[in-house]
Amino acid sequence: KWKGEGTTQNLENIVIGRCYDYIRIVNPAVGEKNCSQIWEAFKNAFINKDPCSILPKDYELFINLSLHTIPPNKSLFWENNQLLVNSFADRGRRYMSLGDTLFGFVGDFLNWCGQADSPGLDYESCPTTMECENNAVESFWRMASITYAQHSSGVIHVLLNGSADGGAYPQPGFFADYEIPNLEKGKISQIVIWVVDDIEGPDIDSCGVHSVKTLQTRLKTLGYDVTCSDNNK
């Protein structure tokens, strides 16, 4: 048995239902998508396989079927503040974070894995990233992060948590390892970093110091125009 929680119950219904919710209500502008096909491509990425040998590229067909334009200036990257990002982005009305794209929306907050030599899902347990990096969920979010970064343009926003243990800019982390390397420099005019502390939380990290300084230096070295502000009202 793995240490992680098992597959979310009713996974197929949730994924297909979220897909329809997205194209009908959340963001009809993306146009028609085949939600049954999207589910099949999602499932086939990890079904019948060793749950520790799923790679990001296994989700390529799923990504291709669910891909749509991310409007310029609307990308919102983040670390350690998912609920704030969700409310701030307002389901794509203000910003379009990864969870506000169709491919991110269908997977948000869910868990899943298959089993070697069995067409079924494992509802008992799934591997954690500590147990194996190439698990179904981790590889899904790597692929989604890479795709999101590649399709982001204009002014890029990054919302970081100044109260996070270990600093606002975690390394390793999705932003550090999968998103920054996949930004397409020619499409990006500016990167705006917002560092916000938890309400009543400690002020551990800020613009120009600690891990945020590391991030600012990295982005400037890559040739980006970078601005940073703390606890923006």
Side-chain angles (χ1 to χ4, degrees):
K1 287 285 172 260
W2 303 106
K3 293 193 174 73
E5 61 181 82
T7 298
T8 307
Q9 295 287 337
N10 309 103
L11 182 71
E12 178 177 355
N13 292 345
I14 294 171
V15 170
I16 293 175
R18 282 184 177 184
C19 175
Y20 281 119
D21 184 26
Y22 191 89
I23 66 172
R24 297 288 177 252
I25 297 161
V26 177
N27 189 8
V30 301
E32 206 49 43
K33 300 285 182 190
N34 187 325
C35 293
S36 302
Q37 248 182 350
I38 285 172
W39 159 254
E40 289 298 323
F42 174 80
K43 181 183 71 174
N44 289 335
F46 63 90
I47 216 79
N48 259 322
K49 298 179 189 174
D50 173 351
C52 277
S53 60
I54 313 299
L55 299 173
K57 67 177 173 56
D58 294 333
Y59 288 99
E60 266 175 5
L61 178 58
F62 163 80
I63 290 287
N64 291 338
L65 291 171
S66 56
L67 191 59
H68 56 82
T69 304
I70 298 169
N73 312 318
K74 292 282 190 179
S75 291
L76 179 62
F77 294 85
W78 57 273
E79 288 282 7
N80 296 315
N81 50 21
Q82 185 169 12
L83 298 178
L84 173 62
V85 165
N86 286 358
S87 54
F88 184 54
D90 196 20
R91 288 187 110 181
R93 282 185 281 266
R94 190 180 282 118
Y95 291 98
M96 187 179 281
S97 70
L98 174 52
D100 303 309
T101 65
L102 173 55
F103 51 94
F105 189 79
V106 297
D108 231 3
F109 298 107
L110 301 179
N111 211 49
W112 62 89
C113 65
Q115 307 165 62
D117 310 315
S118 157
L121 300 166
D122 190 339
Y123 293 100
E124 297 299 312
S125 64
C126 291
T128 63
T129 302
M130 299 298 284
E131 289 176 288
C132 61
E133 283 197 17
N134 293 331
N135 67 62
V137 175
E138 181 81 7
S139 290
F140 173 88
W141 288 113
R142 286 180 182 175
M143 188 65 187
S145 291
I146 289 165
T147 305
Y148 180 69
Q150 288 169 339
H151 289 84
S152 293
S153 64
V155 180
I156 302 293
H157 297 87
V158 186
L159 188 54
L160 301 176
N161 184 343
S163 299
D165 280 343
Y169 170 59
Q171 293 176 279
F174 278 89
F175 185 54
D177 300 338
Y178 299 98
E179 291 167 344
I180 293 174
N182 286 289
L183 293 172
E184 294 189 6
K185 185 154 184 311
K187 300 197 300 193
I188 292 164
S189 55
Q190 189 181 37
I191 298 181
V192 176
I193 302 166
W194 290 315
V195 185
V196 293
D197 300 333
D198 290 338
I199 294 170
E200 307 289 322
D203 177 9
I204 294 173
D205 218 338
S206 307
C207 296
V209 296
H210 306 312
S211 76
V212 184
K213 184 179 184 181
T214 305
L215 171 60
Q216 289 171 271
T217 302
R218 177 181 179 185
L219 294 173
K220 283 174 181 165
T221 303
L222 289 169
Y224 291 106
D225 172 15
V226 183
T227 65
C228 185
S229 61
D230 286 304
N231 290 321
N232 190 312
K233 284 285 181 282

